[in-house]
Amino acid sequence: MENVVLIIHLLLALGLIAVVLLQRSEGGGLGMGSGGGGGAMSGRSAATALGKVTWVLAICFICTSITLTVLAAQKSAGSSVADGIVPAATEGGDEPAAPVAPLGSDLLPPAEGDNAPLVPSAD
């Protein structure tokens, strides 16, 4: 479900970018300096088809954003980053055990005739 909504979200984003780039540029930040009555500070002009499509795509984009947020919140409900922290095992004392340094032989490259796979040890 989350993947379907994510794909729709990405398609809406691409469509929104394309529609915004197709629109006519108003020029001159906020329509200032144009001298005419058609700037952004004047009365509202008639909405074009591209303007309506932009609004529809923007509303759908926001809805899919909220849906993805809700799905992600439900997926992570009941879990925390702190749940992955495991306290170090102690041997009868109150202090945590000191980390063990690797042996010197573990740090050397394999010998020339050694053809064993290089798999890290879990000890």
Side-chain angles (χ1 to χ4, degrees), residues 102-109:
L103 299 174
S105 62
D106 292 342
L107 300 175
L108 298 175

Side-chain angles (χ1 to χ4, degrees), residues 68-111:
L68 285 171
T69 303
V70 169
L71 289 174
Q74 287 176 349
K75 190 176 181 180
S76 68
S79 66
S80 172
V81 176
D83 292 342
I85 300 173
V86 179
T90 60
E91 296 180 15
D94 291 336
E95 298 177 19
V100 178
L103 299 174
S105 62
D106 292 342
L107 300 175
L108 298 175

Side-chain angles (χ1 to χ4, degrees), residues 21-63:
L21 289 176
L22 285 174
Q23 290 181 9
R24 182 174 56 94
S25 174
E26 295 294 327
L30 292 177
M32 304 271 181
S34 63
M41 302 303 271
S42 64
R44 183 174 173 161
S45 61
T48 63
L50 281 177
K52 290 178 183 179
V53 171
T54 304
W55 274 103
V56 170
L57 288 176
I59 290 170
C60 292
F61 182 81
I62 291 171
C63 289

